[in-house]
Amino acid sequence: MAGIGFRLRELMKTDTLSGLLQAYGFAGIIGSGPWVLSIIGVLLIGIINTEDFFTPSFVGQFQISVTYLMAASLIITGPLQLMLTRFIADKLYEKHDEQVLPNLTGAIFIIIIVSGTLAGLCLVYLFTGSVLYRLLMLSSLVILSTIWIVVIVLSGLKAYREILLAFLLGYGITVLVAMELGAFGLEGLLSGFVLGHSILLFILLVVVFNSYSSNKLIAFDFLRRSQIFPSLAITGLLYNLAIWADKFIFWFNPKTSNVIISPLRGSELYDLPIFLAYLSIIPGMAVFLLRIETDFVEQYKKFYDAINEGAPLKIILQIHEEMIITIRRGFIEILKIQGMTTVILLAIGDKLLAWVGISPFYKVLLNIDLVAVGIQVLLLAVLNLLFYFDYRKDALYLCLLFAVSNIAFTLLSQYLGPVFYGYGFAMSVLLTTLVGIVMVSIRLNRLVYETFMLR
Amino acid sequence: MIRHTREGRNLEVLINLFNGRLYRNPGRFVINTKAADLFRGSLMEQQKKYADITLLLEGTYPFVRGGVSGWVHQIIEGLPQYTFALIFLGSKKKDYDAQKYVLPDNVVHLECHYLWDHFSLSKPKACKGNNEYILASGKLHDWFRNPCSGFKEAVLKELLVSLGQPSGFTAEEFFYSEAAWQQICECYDKYNAHNSFIDYIWAIKAMHTPLFKLASVAHQFAPATGTFHAVSTGFAGFLGLLLHYITGRPLILTEHGIYTKERKIDLQSIFIREHRDLLGDVLHMGMQYQELLWIRFFESLGQLIYKASNPIISLYETNRERQITDGADRVRTQVIPNGMPIDRFLDLRAQRPEKIPLVIGLIGRIVPIKDIKTFIRSMHTIVTHLPEAEGWLIGPEDEDKAYVQECKTLVQELGLEEKVRFLGFQKISDMLPRLGLLVLTSISEAFPLVILEAYASGLPVVATDVGACREIIEGSSDEDRALGCAGIVIPMADPEATANAVITLLTDEDRWYSAQKAGIQRVERYYTQSRMLDSYKTIYDRALTQ
């Protein structure tokens, strides 16, 4: 989230309700990422095409196609996401804004080639279905992957109104077109998806290209040896793998899945609750971003400025203490807001499910998923702190733990039976977050020593 | 995202300190640069080497020309009965070209270490750190702060011998350990709590880095040695100190200048320069504390080295007194002045014209420290009394071009174009017989060899009261003083007094001749090379039989 704090602080400064709401809205969208929005979009499409509790099979096919697209694009871009975020944050810090755009172009170039090739190979050799379907899948993957890359620089931009507008327009079109083209089945829905996301990407690119100046068309500085942090690439990959590990396990266990559209398998039981649950993180993510990127970053800057500008040790220790208090306050606030959201959803979950026309059968799994994703917001906050203090190794180990424990616990939960479905992911998130919190608190307590003696 | 600019700056300060020393005094020695590589190759083949004397050389021989280097060469060449090993300490490898001297055959070993080149440490990793060592070294630092109290030599020895060793305190422990961090924070709170912490901690780290490097040099030093001889305090002296405690062999110290005092002057000029850039910067109080830290660092090194060295040799009385005030034990101090090979100058004496030439010469680089302007101003007075007199400025003009220009402008302003000549670098033996007086107006000197050269060629001297000048001109011991004055000592920056002294000597033939006689007698009795070599031979023999 390179440079988001600056924007958010500006919004917060207006001190009006609308400014505050805008700040939360912006933080919510940027924070929870477009993929929460696309979940809403996909669910909406499902609901729209559902008549009298009967959902045509192509809607299921569409949903699983989009899910796979999300998973694949996030995992493919995972290694680049953190690396590019760090690179751009460094460049903005060094006031080399002109280097942002050519490197973004370079990253997009790489991602288009990689995702295009991978998708092409898979579609030619693995997929069945019409040629149109395969082409739409190919373009969707490329477009989605590109969007994930562009989103990295969005947060530093001034044009947050345009960005909000781009998302609304993009997803509005996705839903509208799906409504209109629903008659054409799977291909119709996918066309809407591609069209909506293309427009979203296009507007975002226009905004980004208008906001940064550059004298070069394309650059690959972010891959240069001196700039590169290989651990960030691995961390990015591991994190995205971890998030999807339990889903893949459920998809490829014949007992819990079935073929939706060959070769894509889905787990009707498992998928819907977890995606529904992800919608609940929007408030938590908004708070997380606001607290971390405004209050914390302010303290963080103060801390390092004090060090670099030659403050006495006493002042440095004082600021360090204040910073820790701010972090603690931020965590508590995330816990409060996300906890409240989760509790409310736990309470009224079945009513909501009934209201949107989803079988109450999902309620049990939804409950545990709500808790799991709620905790995941804390995990994100922990990871973010580790990145801020440049404890890249810790972040890497944490993500490794997340991936391994998610695989292990999910397999265990499958072994234990349907009552335990969802607990694998939840336990993995809980464990990783607890370990992460301990890690961060140890690091924070030793921060001054480590800064002066080990850095 | 802490940016370590402080590290860079401290390093720069150190390098400046170091180089300031190295590039002063470009010498007048004939150089021959071959043989070095051949020599090194043959050294490799020998296994366990023995050297009677290991010389510890900081930024001098054999890579840098200059007074000290010439002296080292003289000692090695003049005492062929001993074998020598050399440890050269430099700043960074790239600062030095090829060797400037051909090493005499009795040099059996040469190794070079560069204090500010990258110091290889293992990757930063948290560790506990040896608390006992830190406690003991804390007491040592208290002693540095207050040298009046005593400090047990056994403890000191223990500390120094285990410095950089796993059994004592490794560099990693110093840089990474929590115990070291605690100690640094405590000292900061106690002595410097209001100033920039990052400047403080980097100064502390920069200061101690070379000590660990020297510790590893000392522990890796292979040749067996009869005695160590440090040619300055500072880092070379510290290395000598470590070697002395590790091997138990005696340490001899010769100081040409006073290292600590020179470092103070360097530090002041560096910090004055920095402060000018930082004008109005609230942090400059911190810099002042750092300046004090550095000065105490070098003073403390000096104290430690004086404690371990015997004898402690200086070139002249004033410096001996200074060493004693700085903590040297009077009993151990000794003066051995530089010596001249007199024979070369006998010819020059014969070449002197019958009549005293009315030529006043200043031999030295045209730089502010030589205060050339006072010389030029005095010429103004001199030519009004002695219209035929001429002033010759003999010495290279390429070091401080701006100053040279200022001097030339001054000559024009005073209308002395016909009278004051800038001759540039000249062979001294060509010049000396043509001069009627040698004048030195320097504001700082140590032991100017040029005065001895003037004496040996039969030339009286007028010089300012700096360094060893008064001792050389008027004599140091009673017996020496009885030889009479070999010239006139004048106050610093005083053109009138300079002119008066010159006029007195040039117009009073009797006085001139008696000064010449005193000069020749003095240099032949006290300042011959053989006398100097004999003194060192005695010292070496005593040390080797210990």
Side-chain angles (χ1 to χ4, degrees), chain A residues 3 13 17 44 65 95 179 182-183 199-200 263 304-305 401 410:
Chain A
K13 246 182 238 152
L17 187 64
L44 269 178
S65 300
K95 305 237 181 306
M179 276 163 76
I199 289 168
L200 169 59
Y304 284 106
D305 284 351
L401 173 69
T410 303

Side-chain angles (χ1 to χ4, degrees), chain A residues 165-183:
Chain A
L165 195 74
F167 277 100
L168 283 178
L169 211 62
Y171 286 101
I173 286 171
T174 307
V175 175
L176 269 176
V177 173
M179 276 163 76
E180 295 301 316
L181 295 184

Side-chain angles (χ1 to χ4, degrees), chain A residues 60 172 216 242 335:
Chain A
K216 264 198 293 185
L335 210 61

Side-chain angles (χ1 to χ4, degrees), chain B residues 130-142:
Chain B
N130 183 344
N131 237 325
E132 269 167 57
Y133 191 97
I134 288 176
L135 272 176
S137 102
K139 285 204 184 104
L140 179 64
H141 285 75
D142 287 339

Side-chain angles (χ1 to χ4, degrees), chain A residues 427-439:
Chain A
M427 284 300 139
S428 162
V429 174
L430 182 64
L431 173 73
T432 312
T433 308
L434 287 178
V435 170
I437 286 174
V438 172
M439 237 176 198

Side-chain angles (χ1 to χ4, degrees), chain A residues 86 90 93 300 304 307-314 316 388 393 446 448-455, chain B residues 1-4 6 124 126-127 174-178 181 185 188 193-198 201 205 283:
Chain A
R86 171 69 191 259
D90 285 351
Y93 179 78
Y300 171 90
Y304 284 106
I307 290 175
N308 282 318
E309 280 160 18
L313 183 60
K314 218 173 121 192
I316 294 173
Y388 261 110
K393 275 236 175 74
R446 293 161 58 92
V448 181
Y449 156 67
E450 295 197 357
T451 305
F452 282 104
M453 299 296 276
L454 303 179
R455 287 299 164 110
Chain B
M1 308 228 173
I2 171 170
R3 281 158 303 148
H4 291 160
R6 261 66 172 192
C127 56
F174 172 73
F175 285 105
Y176 307 145
S177 78
E178 286 174 59
W181 164 250
C185 289
Y188 171 84
H194 302 294
N195 291 319
S196 162
F197 182 66
I198 194 167
I201 194 168
K205 286 185 181 184
L283 295 175

